[in-house]
Amino acid sequence: MGWITKQNILIVGLGLMGGGYARGLKRIGYHIMAIDTNAESIRYALENEIIDEGSAETNPQLIRKADVVVFAVYPHLIKPWIEQNQQYFKYGIRITDVTGVKSCIVYDVQSILREDVEFIAAHPMAGREVYGVQNSDDGIFHNANYIVTPTEKNTENAIQWCKDLGRLLGFRRVSVLTPEEHDDMIGFVSQLTHVIAVALMDCSDNTHLVDYTGDSFRDLTRIANINEKMWSELFLMNKQPLLEQMDNFINEMNTLKEMLEKDDKQGLCEKMILSTKRRALFNKK
Amino acid sequence: MGWITKQNILIVGLGLMGGGYARGLKRIGYHIMAIDTNAESIRYALENEIIDEGSAETNPQLIRKADVVVFAVYPHLIKPWIEQNQQYFKYGIRITDVTGVKSCIVYDVQSILREDVEFIAAHPMAGREVYGVQNSDDGIFHNANYIVTPTEKNTENAIQWCKDLGRLLGFRRVSVLTPEEHDDMIGFVSQLTHVIAVALMDCSDNTHLVDYTGDSFRDLTRIANINEKMWSELFLMNKQPLLEQMDNFINEMNTLKEMLEKDDKQGLCEKMILSTKRRALFNKK
């Protein structure tokens, strides 16, 4: 099964991410269908020609037409949705997702899936601090990473297909990691950073300082503006890797604190030289 | 003594900040003089008409001409420089500075200063991740805060004069705080944020993740690119307020960690709702 634009793509969950997938893939020429419990999202997407067909209810007719299903819903909803609706799947379709955690989803879904259907997981590492299909924009993919996380159950064809999907959506970089590698990485670059931003915003009542803050504080707390339902779920689903990253970070903070207490200027300087050297690698990108 | 553009302003330390003061005040029409141990900085500034006169040595003739002295050197250099050179000061001049910490400087300098000379401290809260008069630009002041930190030794006239200086340099907001209020504030909005960025960059060898990082990680670590000599000095000079802020933050991180360990989704959600609500206040600016 190659990329044939006559294929019907069903997007389950038409929010910021689902809307981005819909816009990008419809432009290429695919027939885009969507199911979302929010009738207003479906109405808006139809009116603005973001999708071709849509339903605010789980609609067996739409599901039966799908050659591809993309899950862009809250992570915990994927497995029950498949359990209830895979009876309607066309033979041999492919399923992918946009979930930000992988180990806790992929194996579970694959274990309950029909034998003829393949679930190949992916994480498009893009987002915005706004929600809903109304704010969706596939332009956010263009400077972002897309990661495919296959397991032993996946075929080479499906892995290749899923990588192609990332390229079609315009991602800057498409790569492959195991679910475990992905979750360790995301625990560090995404989840730990969000925990830090929340902790910095919450650690004291700093609202009287609003007039004194500069770019540093604003940059570090931008992501403290956070969707609590989504992120608390993602944190708990990636509990062990995130706890390890938090331990590493808290230990480092305590080391810096001890250096300050002991007037260890040389130690502090060495830490800053290391951070400057490491950060330089990230500047190049 | 009002602002008369025939005044001679001596800038001691002609780097990024000193250069910004020189450019902004020369444009208004003041006669700008500078002393910096780096002969190349002085040569560059003269050649590019950033200053009118300059010297790479402590030059009594320049000092004798000054109506105003602005210290833009490393904090620990201010007091010894004054002790050695205040014999050359014209009667009744005013001195100000650009130092990022206040309590540990202001009282010390005021205690050794000649009776007829007034030191009124200020902190222009602007900066860039580059150094030197070559990179200086008074445009960085236009979206920044300028804080005057008087003590009981300061006169109303000098406080007003120092506020006017901030306005002349184009700062967006000019305000007055006690040295202690200033240091608590700066321990939070500036120093704690830099410690966090350094800790995040140093807590594990994350350089293999460079291809997977997005805006969140880049925003949180931008200031991990840090001048270690300047910042280790600022941290140690503001040790107690910074240690308190670090304790608050580490406690908050530990609270979030416990919530995660206990699967306390409700607690995590409440923390994120609080951070989102507080961050909204900072969005408005």
Side-chain angles (χ1 to χ4, degrees):
Chain A
M1 185 164 79
W3 276 98
I4 305 157
T5 57
K6 293 219 170 128
Q7 283 187 335
N8 301 321
I9 298 181
L10 172 63
I11 295 169
V12 180
L14 195 65
L16 186 81
M17 291 302 288
Y21 271 56
R23 287 177 199 263
L25 295 173
K26 186 159 164 39
R27 186 175 302 126
I28 294 167
Y30 294 97
H31 183 80
I32 306 296
M33 310 180 293
I35 293 176
D36 194 296
T37 53
N38 185 335
E40 173 55 24
S41 295
I42 296 293
R43 193 202 59 73
Y44 179 92
L46 285 169
E47 191 176 302
N48 290 276
E49 297 181 0
I50 298 165
I51 60 174
D52 298 295
E53 291 182 76
S55 172
E57 282 158 35
T58 305
N59 182 332
Q61 278 181 297
L62 278 192
I63 303 173
R64 282 199 186 95
K65 286 169 75 176
D67 300 299
V68 168
V69 180
V70 178
F71 282 96
V73 288
Y74 277 70
H76 73 272
L77 297 174
I78 299 177
K79 191 178 160 193
W81 197 98
I82 290 176
E83 284 174 326
Q84 280 166 35
N85 298 295
Q86 62 176 341
Q87 56 185 306
Y88 308 122
F89 287 165
K90 197 187 284 189
Y91 181 85
I93 67 165
R94 279 181 182 144
I95 301 177
T96 188
D97 73 333
V98 304
T99 312
V101 287
K102 288 300 170 207
S103 310
C104 58
I105 294 276
V106 181
Y107 300 106
D108 243 23
V109 167
Q110 288 183 338
S111 72
I112 56 108
L113 200 60
R114 259 171 43 189
E115 281 290 317
D116 60 300
V117 175
E118 184 162 352
F119 177 60
I120 172 75
H123 180 194
M125 291 180 66
R128 293 178 67 195
E129 284 96 43
V130 289
Y131 310 116
V133 66
Q134 292 82 355
N135 290 308
S136 66
D137 171 11
D138 56 308
I140 64 172
F141 302 149
H142 295 170
N143 199 30
N145 277 292
Y146 177 90
I147 300 165
V148 181
T149 58
T151 70
E152 289 189 350
K153 287 208 174 181
N154 286 114
T155 60
E156 276 307 313
N157 276 348
I159 296 168
Q160 191 56 50
W161 168 86
C162 198
K163 289 167 75 174
D164 287 346
L165 176 60
R167 291 193 190 98
L168 284 172
L169 285 164
F171 281 88
R172 186 189 57 154
R173 188 166 179 277
V174 172
S175 48
V176 175
L177 292 176
T178 68
E180 293 73 20
E181 287 169 339
H182 169 276
D183 290 349
D184 282 344
M185 179 274 287
I186 218 70
F188 181 73
V189 305
S190 171
Q191 297 190 325
L192 177 60
T193 52
H194 281 78
V195 173
I196 289 170
V198 169
L200 178 56
M201 209 68 228
D202 288 352
C203 68
S204 61
D205 184 0
N206 36 52
T207 47
H208 63 289
L209 297 178
V210 64
D211 290 327
Y212 297 106
T213 54
D215 290 342
S216 307
F217 186 79
R218 279 164 212 279
D219 280 356
L220 263 77
T221 56
R222 185 178 56 82
I223 54 175
N225 174 13
I226 189 170
N227 176 342
E228 75 279 0
K229 282 181 193 149
M230 173 65 85
W231 283 89
S232 63
E233 191 168 320
L234 291 172
F235 285 0
L236 289 166
M237 290 179 98
N238 204 36
K239 186 171 163 175
Q240 284 314 319
L242 177 54
L243 282 175
E244 275 174 41
Q245 299 292 357
M246 288 176 75
D247 274 335
N248 286 342
F249 175 77
I250 293 169
N251 287 342
E252 188 71 20
M253 285 294 296
N254 281 320
T255 302
L256 291 167
K257 194 183 137 194
E258 278 166 35
M259 287 174 167
L260 188 56
E261 279 165 349
K262 290 178 186 161
D263 295 314
D264 179 4
K265 189 171 180 174
Q266 181 60 30
L268 288 169
C269 279
E270 280 164 18
K271 290 291 188 186
M272 293 181 197
I273 289 167
L274 176 62
S275 74
T276 300
K277 186 179 151 201
R278 282 199 182 148
R279 186 58 177 75
L281 294 173
F282 293 80
N283 284 337
K284 288 174 193 162
K285 297 282 164 171
Chain B
M1 182 166 80
W3 275 99
I4 304 156
T5 56
K6 292 221 171 128
Q7 283 187 336
N8 300 322
I9 298 181
L10 171 63
I11 295 168
V12 180
L14 194 66
L16 186 80
M17 291 302 289
Y21 271 55
R23 287 177 199 262
L25 296 172
K26 185 158 165 44
R27 186 174 302 129
I28 294 167
Y30 293 98
H31 183 80
I32 306 298
M33 310 181 293
I35 293 175
D36 194 296
T37 53
N38 184 335
E40 172 55 23
S41 296
I42 296 296
R43 192 202 60 72
Y44 179 92
L46 285 168
E47 191 175 301
N48 290 277
E49 298 182 0
I50 298 165
I51 60 174
D52 298 294
E53 291 182 77
S55 171
E57 282 159 34
T58 304
N59 182 332
Q61 277 182 299
L62 278 192
I63 302 173
R64 281 197 187 95
K65 285 169 75 176
D67 301 299
V68 169
V69 180
V70 178
F71 283 96
V73 287
Y74 277 69
H76 72 272
L77 297 173
I78 299 177
K79 189 178 162 192
W81 197 99
I82 290 176
E83 284 174 325
Q84 280 167 35
N85 298 295
Q86 64 177 337
Q87 58 186 303
Y88 309 122
F89 286 165
K90 197 187 282 189
Y91 181 85
I93 67 165
R94 280 184 181 141
I95 301 178
T96 188
D97 73 334
V98 304
T99 312
V101 286
K102 289 298 170 210
S103 309
C104 58
I105 294 274
V106 180
Y107 300 106
D108 243 25
V109 167
Q110 288 183 339
S111 73
I112 56 107
L113 200 61
R114 261 171 40 189
E115 282 290 317
D116 60 301
V117 175
E118 184 163 352
F119 177 60
I120 173 76
H123 180 194
M125 289 181 67
R128 292 177 67 194
E129 283 95 44
V130 288
Y131 311 116
V133 66
Q134 292 83 354
N135 290 307
S136 66
D137 171 11
D138 56 309
I140 65 172
F141 303 149
H142 296 171
N143 198 31
N145 276 293
Y146 177 91
I147 300 164
V148 181
T149 59
T151 70
E152 290 189 350
K153 287 207 173 180
N154 286 113
T155 61
E156 276 307 312
N157 275 349
I159 296 169
Q160 190 57 49
W161 168 86
C162 198
K163 289 167 74 174
D164 288 347
L165 175 60
R167 291 194 190 97
L168 284 171
L169 285 164
F171 281 88
R172 185 189 57 153
R173 187 165 179 277
V174 172
S175 48
V176 175
L177 292 177
T178 67
E180 293 73 20
E181 288 170 336
H182 169 276
D183 290 348
D184 282 341
M185 179 275 288
I186 218 71
F188 181 73
V189 305
S190 170
Q191 296 189 325
L192 177 60
T193 51
H194 281 77
V195 173
I196 288 170
V198 169
L200 178 56
M201 210 68 228
D202 288 352
C203 68
S204 61
D205 184 359
N206 35 52
T207 47
H208 64 289
L209 297 179
V210 65
D211 289 326
Y212 298 105
T213 54
D215 290 343
S216 307
F217 186 81
R218 278 162 212 278
D219 280 355
L220 262 78
T221 56
R222 185 177 56 83
I223 53 176
N225 174 13
I226 189 170
N227 175 342
E228 75 278 0
K229 282 181 193 148
M230 172 65 84
W231 282 91
S232 62
E233 190 167 321
L234 291 173
F235 285 179
L236 289 165
M237 291 177 97
N238 204 35
K239 186 172 164 174
Q240 283 314 319
L242 177 54
L243 282 176
E244 275 174 43
Q245 299 291 358
M246 288 176 75
D247 275 335
N248 287 342
F249 175 76
I250 293 169
N251 288 342
E252 188 69 20
M253 284 295 294
N254 281 320
T255 302
L256 291 167
K257 193 183 138 194
E258 278 165 36
M259 287 175 168
L260 188 57
E261 279 165 348
K262 291 179 186 161
D263 295 315
D264 180 4
K265 189 170 180 176
Q266 183 59 32
L268 289 169
C269 280
E270 280 163 18
K271 288 293 188 186
M272 293 181 196
I273 290 167
L274 177 62
S275 74
T276 300
K277 187 179 152 200
R278 282 198 183 150
R279 186 58 176 75
L281 295 172
F282 292 80
N283 284 337
K284 288 175 194 161
K285 297 281 164 170

